[in-house]
Amino acid sequence: MRDLVVTENITLDGVIDAAKGWFAVADEPGVDQSDMVAVLREHMAANDAVLFGRVTFEEMRGYWPHQTEDASGVAAHLNAVEKYVVSRTLRDPGWERTTVLRGPLEEEVRALKAAPGGDVVVTGSTTLVRGLVAAGLVDEYRLFVYPVVLGQGARLFEEAEIPRLRLVETRPFRSGVVLLRYRTG
């Protein structure tokens, strides 16, 4: 059985809404991100599928396929892996190796998890992630915590019954970002 892994950039106060551009902190001039990029590559090597909600999918599709000088490897990875987008309205995904999932969320995701392969990663996709949390389908959370406090914005765990989480890793990066990995159960 594959693991469903939620990977989010998140502020100290739990905001995952990136509308204010707060995670640019790690991209400031002179910030060495090589340690964080190495971890991202480790994570990418362990997954062969990415699951998105429609809005995040459209944002990613509008950006990543056009990146030709991406030293992180994210563009190449996203172009190569199977992508799944949960949507009742999207007709033509317009990005190779993409399947639109139109059926009941729990049924579709359980089928993905039961298929052979590596981890299935979900990133962004606030509404989708909340549905996955509520359905008890998340196996792991990888939270990249940024040294920012916003005080407002969409939070990862709004009005959700959170399963018991077990901390399995903490890893600080030179940028001030800290990775917190939690397993459910």
Side-chain angles (χ1 to χ4, degrees), residues 65-82:
H66 311 289
Q67 301 308 302
T68 56
E69 296 183 26
D70 172 40
S72 72
V74 172
H77 178 72
L78 287 175
N79 286 323
V81 298
E82 295 295 326

Side-chain angles (χ1 to χ4, degrees), residues 34-97:
S34 60
D35 54 350
M36 197 155 83
V37 169
V39 168
L40 290 174
R41 287 187 179 145
E42 286 174 27
H43 292 176
M44 288 186 292
N47 78 70
D48 61 3
V50 182
L51 176 64
F52 297 109
R54 184 193 50 81
V55 173
T56 299
F57 173 79
E58 289 177 341
E59 290 169 353
M60 297 289 212
R61 179 188 64 193
Y63 181 78
W64 286 109
H66 311 289
Q67 301 308 302
T68 56
E69 296 183 26
D70 172 40
S72 72
V74 172
H77 178 72
L78 287 175
N79 286 323
V81 298
E82 295 295 326
K83 292 167 285 298
Y84 299 91
V85 56
V86 176
S87 176
R88 289 186 173 82
T89 59
L90 184 67
R91 296 295 164 225
D92 177 13
W95 195 357
E96 287 185 27
R97 301 181 63 116

Side-chain angles (χ1 to χ4, degrees), residues 124-145:
S125 307
T126 306
T127 302
L128 172 61
V129 168
R130 288 179 182 158
L132 297 168
V133 171
L137 294 168
V138 179
D139 298 295
E140 182 172 315
Y141 295 91
R142 294 178 186 155
L143 306 177
F144 288 85
V145 183

